[in-house]
PDB file of all heavy atoms in Angstrom:
ATOM      1  N   ASP I  29      -5.088 -52.333  -4.878  1.00  0.00           N
ATOM      2  CA  ASP I  29      -5.829 -51.773  -3.733  1.00  0.00           C
ATOM      3  C   ASP I  29      -7.323 -51.655  -3.991  1.00  0.00           C
ATOM      4  O   ASP I  29      -8.094 -51.411  -3.077  1.00  0.00           O
ATOM      5  CB  ASP I  29      -5.299 -50.374  -3.388  1.00  0.00           C
ATOM      6  CG  ASP I  29      -3.977 -50.443  -2.638  1.00  0.00           C
ATOM      7  OD1 ASP I  29      -3.869 -51.281  -1.729  1.00  0.00           O
ATOM      8  OD2 ASP I  29      -3.071 -49.665  -2.981  1.00  0.00           O
ATOM      9  N   ASP I  32     -11.549 -54.919  -4.724  1.00  0.00           N
ATOM     10  CA  ASP I  32     -12.882 -55.098  -4.143  1.00  0.00           C
ATOM     11  C   ASP I  32     -13.922 -54.228  -4.855  1.00  0.00           C
ATOM     12  O   ASP I  32     -15.115 -54.513  -4.810  1.00  0.00           O
ATOM     13  CB  ASP I  32     -12.895 -54.650  -2.664  1.00  0.00           C
ATOM     14  CG  ASP I  32     -12.226 -55.664  -1.748  1.00  0.00           C
ATOM     15  OD1 ASP I  32     -11.853 -56.739  -2.234  1.00  0.00           O
ATOM     16  OD2 ASP I  32     -12.087 -55.366  -0.551  1.00  0.00           O
ATOM     17  N   ALA I  53      10.710 -42.829   0.025  1.00  0.00           N
ATOM     18  CA  ALA I  53       9.754 -42.611   1.125  1.00  0.00           C
ATOM     19  C   ALA I  53       8.716 -41.560   0.739  1.00  0.00           C
ATOM     20  O   ALA I  53       7.585 -41.602   1.205  1.00  0.00           O
ATOM     21  CB  ALA I  53      10.491 -42.186   2.391  1.00  0.00           C
ATOM     22  N   ARG I  59       0.538 -33.753   2.383  1.00  0.00           N
ATOM     23  CA  ARG I  59       0.856 -33.995   0.983  1.00  0.00           C
ATOM     24  C   ARG I  59      -0.265 -33.591   0.039  1.00  0.00           C
ATOM     25  O   ARG I  59      -0.054 -33.553  -1.168  1.00  0.00           O
ATOM     26  CB  ARG I  59       1.098 -35.496   0.758  1.00  0.00           C
ATOM     27  CG  ARG I  59       2.424 -36.025   1.236  1.00  0.00           C
ATOM     28  CD  ARG I  59       2.510 -37.504   0.913  1.00  0.00           C
ATOM     29  NE  ARG I  59       3.775 -38.074   1.361  1.00  0.00           N
ATOM     30  CZ  ARG I  59       4.063 -39.371   1.260  1.00  0.00           C
ATOM     31  NH1 ARG I  59       3.173 -40.209   0.731  1.00  0.00           N
ATOM     32  NH2 ARG I  59       5.217 -39.833   1.670  1.00  0.00           N
ATOM     33  N   GLU I  62      -7.310 -30.015  -0.870  1.00  0.00           N
ATOM     34  CA  GLU I  62      -8.369 -29.816  -1.856  1.00  0.00           C
ATOM     35  C   GLU I  62      -8.414 -28.345  -2.235  1.00  0.00           C
ATOM     36  O   GLU I  62      -8.258 -27.480  -1.383  1.00  0.00           O
ATOM     37  CB  GLU I  62      -9.708 -30.246  -1.250  1.00  0.00           C
ATOM     38  CG  GLU I  62     -10.836 -30.272  -2.259  1.00  0.00           C
ATOM     39  CD  GLU I  62     -12.153 -30.696  -1.609  1.00  0.00           C
ATOM     40  OE1 GLU I  62     -12.682 -29.923  -0.794  1.00  0.00           O
ATOM     41  OE2 GLU I  62     -12.625 -31.788  -1.910  1.00  0.00           O
ATOM     42  N   SER I  65     -12.617 -27.353  -7.236  1.00  0.00           N
ATOM     43  CA  SER I  65     -12.735 -28.397  -8.260  1.00  0.00           C
ATOM     44  C   SER I  65     -11.411 -29.072  -8.592  1.00  0.00           C
ATOM     45  O   SER I  65     -11.162 -29.428  -9.747  1.00  0.00           O
ATOM     46  CB  SER I  65     -13.350 -27.825  -9.543  1.00  0.00           C
ATOM     47  OG  SER I  65     -14.688 -27.474  -9.298  1.00  0.00           O
ATOM     48  N   VAL I 270     -12.146 -40.209  -6.060  1.00  0.00           N
ATOM     49  CA  VAL I 270     -13.548 -39.977  -5.712  1.00  0.00           C
ATOM     50  C   VAL I 270     -14.352 -41.262  -5.914  1.00  0.00           C
ATOM     51  O   VAL I 270     -15.208 -41.612  -5.104  1.00  0.00           O
ATOM     52  CB  VAL I 270     -14.130 -38.835  -6.577  1.00  0.00           C
ATOM     53  CG1 VAL I 270     -15.581 -38.576  -6.204  1.00  0.00           C
ATOM     54  CG2 VAL I 270     -13.290 -37.561  -6.432  1.00  0.00           C
TER      55      VAL I 270
ATOM     56  N   ILE B   2     -14.039 -54.065   1.307  1.00  0.00           N
ATOM     57  CA  ILE B   2     -14.480 -52.678   1.151  1.00  0.00           C
ATOM     58  C   ILE B   2     -15.636 -52.648   0.148  1.00  0.00           C
ATOM     59  O   ILE B   2     -15.556 -53.264  -0.910  1.00  0.00           O
ATOM     60  CB  ILE B   2     -13.330 -51.799   0.617  1.00  0.00           C
ATOM     61  CG1 ILE B   2     -12.143 -51.818   1.591  1.00  0.00           C
ATOM     62  CG2 ILE B   2     -13.799 -50.376   0.369  1.00  0.00           C
ATOM     63  CD1 ILE B   2     -10.885 -51.191   1.037  1.00  0.00           C
ATOM     64  N   THR B  47     -18.276 -31.188  -8.487  1.00  0.00           N
ATOM     65  CA  THR B  47     -16.809 -31.221  -8.445  1.00  0.00           C
ATOM     66  C   THR B  47     -16.256 -30.248  -7.411  1.00  0.00           C
ATOM     67  O   THR B  47     -15.046 -30.121  -7.279  1.00  0.00           O
ATOM     68  CB  THR B  47     -16.206 -30.883  -9.818  1.00  0.00           C
ATOM     69  OG1 THR B  47     -16.593 -29.550 -10.169  1.00  0.00           O
ATOM     70  CG2 THR B  47     -16.688 -31.849 -10.889  1.00  0.00           C
ATOM     71  N   LEU B  50     -14.738 -31.539  -4.177  1.00  0.00           N
ATOM     72  CA  LEU B  50     -14.428 -32.645  -5.089  1.00  0.00           C
ATOM     73  C   LEU B  50     -14.289 -33.982  -4.376  1.00  0.00           C
ATOM     74  O   LEU B  50     -14.771 -34.999  -4.872  1.00  0.00           O
ATOM     75  CB  LEU B  50     -13.117 -32.307  -5.810  1.00  0.00           C
ATOM     76  CG  LEU B  50     -12.556 -33.372  -6.763  1.00  0.00           C
ATOM     77  CD1 LEU B  50     -13.455 -33.542  -7.972  1.00  0.00           C
ATOM     78  CD2 LEU B  50     -11.154 -32.965  -7.222  1.00  0.00           C
ATOM     79  N   LEU B  51     -13.620 -33.965  -3.246  1.00  0.00           N
ATOM     80  CA  LEU B  51     -13.191 -35.226  -2.622  1.00  0.00           C
ATOM     81  C   LEU B  51     -14.175 -35.716  -1.566  1.00  0.00           C
ATOM     82  O   LEU B  51     -14.996 -34.957  -1.045  1.00  0.00           O
ATOM     83  CB  LEU B  51     -11.812 -35.027  -1.978  1.00  0.00           C
ATOM     84  CG  LEU B  51     -10.709 -34.589  -2.936  1.00  0.00           C
ATOM     85  CD1 LEU B  51      -9.450 -34.203  -2.172  1.00  0.00           C
ATOM     86  CD2 LEU B  51     -10.398 -35.679  -3.952  1.00  0.00           C
ATOM     87  N   ARG B  52     -14.048 -37.008  -1.256  1.00  0.00           N
ATOM     88  CA  ARG B  52     -14.811 -37.594  -0.150  1.00  0.00           C
ATOM     89  C   ARG B  52     -14.301 -37.033   1.167  1.00  0.00           C
ATOM     90  O   ARG B  52     -13.215 -36.468   1.237  1.00  0.00           O
ATOM     91  CB  ARG B  52     -14.627 -39.127  -0.155  1.00  0.00           C
ATOM     92  CG  ARG B  52     -15.314 -39.812  -1.312  1.00  0.00           C
ATOM     93  CD  ARG B  52     -14.949 -41.278  -1.414  1.00  0.00           C
ATOM     94  NE  ARG B  52     -15.553 -41.841  -2.590  1.00  0.00           N
ATOM     95  CZ  ARG B  52     -16.763 -42.419  -2.620  1.00  0.00           C
ATOM     96  NH1 ARG B  52     -17.455 -42.579  -1.506  1.00  0.00           N
ATOM     97  NH2 ARG B  52     -17.269 -42.862  -3.751  1.00  0.00           N
ATOM     98  N   ARG B  53     -15.106 -37.244   2.222  1.00  0.00           N
ATOM     99  CA  ARG B  53     -14.716 -36.816   3.569  1.00  0.00           C
ATOM    100  C   ARG B  53     -14.720 -38.035   4.485  1.00  0.00           C
ATOM    101  O   ARG B  53     -15.712 -38.788   4.502  1.00  0.00           O
ATOM    102  CB  ARG B  53     -15.713 -35.774   4.099  1.00  0.00           C
ATOM    103  CG  ARG B  53     -15.834 -34.496   3.255  1.00  0.00           C
ATOM    104  CD  ARG B  53     -14.552 -33.679   3.320  1.00  0.00           C
ATOM    105  NE  ARG B  53     -14.698 -32.327   2.803  1.00  0.00           N
ATOM    106  CZ  ARG B  53     -14.311 -31.918   1.589  1.00  0.00           C
ATOM    107  NH1 ARG B  53     -13.801 -32.779   0.740  1.00  0.00           N
ATOM    108  NH2 ARG B  53     -14.431 -30.652   1.233  1.00  0.00           N
ATOM    109  N   GLN B 226      -1.780 -42.066  -1.817  1.00  0.00           N
ATOM    110  CA  GLN B 226      -0.559 -41.900  -1.016  1.00  0.00           C
ATOM    111  C   GLN B 226      -0.500 -40.518  -0.356  1.00  0.00           C
ATOM    112  O   GLN B 226       0.579 -40.012  -0.074  1.00  0.00           O
ATOM    113  CB  GLN B 226       0.692 -42.102  -1.892  1.00  0.00           C
ATOM    114  CG  GLN B 226       0.751 -43.438  -2.593  1.00  0.00           C
ATOM    115  CD  GLN B 226       1.549 -44.471  -1.811  1.00  0.00           C
ATOM    116  OE1 GLN B 226       2.569 -44.169  -1.211  1.00  0.00           O
ATOM    117  NE2 GLN B 226       1.057 -45.695  -1.779  1.00  0.00           N
ATOM    118  N   LYS B 244      -4.792 -46.657   5.205  1.00  0.00           N
ATOM    119  CA  LYS B 244      -4.719 -48.087   4.936  1.00  0.00           C
ATOM    120  C   LYS B 244      -4.020 -48.846   6.064  1.00  0.00           C
ATOM    121  O   LYS B 244      -4.442 -49.932   6.457  1.00  0.00           O
ATOM    122  CB  LYS B 244      -3.959 -48.265   3.622  1.00  0.00           C
ATOM    123  CG  LYS B 244      -4.021 -49.640   3.025  1.00  0.00           C
ATOM    124  CD  LYS B 244      -3.226 -49.633   1.722  1.00  0.00           C
ATOM    125  CE  LYS B 244      -2.752 -51.021   1.375  1.00  0.00           C
ATOM    126  NZ  LYS B 244      -1.847 -51.001   0.221  1.00  0.00           N
TER     127      LYS B 244
END
Side-chain angles (χ1 to χ4, degrees):
Chain I
D29 283 316
D32 284 355
R59 284 181 180 176
E62 189 180 68
S65 293
V270 181
Chain B
I2 300 170
T47 62
L50 177 68
L51 301 171
R52 290 171 184 269
R53 300 292 193 259
Q226 303 266 321
K244 192 179 156 187

